[in-house]
Amino acid sequence: MTITDRYRFASVCAGLRFRRAGFTLIELLVAISIIAVLIAILLPALGKARDSGEAAVCLSNQRQTTTAVLAYAVEHQDALPGAGNLSSGPPSGPNSQASWFFSLEDYVDTDISDIARCPEDQSERWETQDHANGLKRVVSYASNFYLAGVLTGFENYRSLRLLRNPSKTNFMSELAESGSYATSDHIHAELWLTNPPQRAAEQVELDQHNGISHWSYLDGHAAPAPLDEVYRIGPDSTFGNIDWIANRFNPKVAR
Ligand SMILES: [Zn+2]
């Protein structure tokens, strides 16, 4: 090998080393676009997996709490837990301790706070007080006021014995994240008659889980359903005679 040959050989080797040490611009762009395509494919799938995981946790929260209601009733001559206004500070409402949140503490296997928040619940009221009532949010879930039996002049259904159809009688709903119900622990479905979609939305987060909400019933089960399935007034209704297609809140007509 002449000196020139050696020089050429060394140059070729150096060139090869240089080639192997990095990528050309084209290779880099191809790699980046493949990664971008993979991310675009995987992200929605990951988001969906997270959403269905959170929905499962929410349903489980409602099932555990509503099963605790049944255990509570066994020890209280079939009576159901009450409702109250809740505060994370010192009790501010006269009937805070009457809330299901406190009544059921001893009937769940965990700290009741751990199952009182839906993982999709992003309400600002967990951190910031409602200026109107001074309360913060303590629970994501609301009991059904028809069952609390504390409204004067109102039919009292605060006993399992008074329920004709427990598997169709609602116990828990998902509280609206904003507005005056965001810091409550119960809903008033008896006030929905005049404009059900709007009235219900003021009290319940109707689209909490991919456009739908979760509800539990007094046989201990919980399930997703649109508003129409749990509360719907028939077209032939008159003011004095409501033709219910669905009303899972009022025990008298729950079906
Ligand atoms: Zn939820």
Side-chain angles (χ1 to χ4, degrees), residues 82-87 91-103 135 145 148 150-151 185-186 188:
N85 291 316
L86 288 167
S87 166
S92 62
N95 55 354
S96 295
Q97 292 295 324
S99 172
W100 59 265
F101 180 73
F102 297 108
S103 307
L135 299 176
F145 199 76
V150 292
L151 200 65
D185 74 327
H186 60 272
H188 286 279

Side-chain angles (χ1 to χ4, degrees), residues 58 118 141 174 208-209 214:
C58 177
C118 167
Y141 305 114
E174 304 204 60
Q208 187 65 287
H209 298 278
H214 293 161

Side-chain angles (χ1 to χ4, degrees), residues 7 10 47 78 114 146 158 164 192 215:
Y7 176 74
D78 289 332
D114 294 343
Y146 273 100
R158 201 177 165 179
R164 292 186 317 170
W192 296 359
W215 320 80

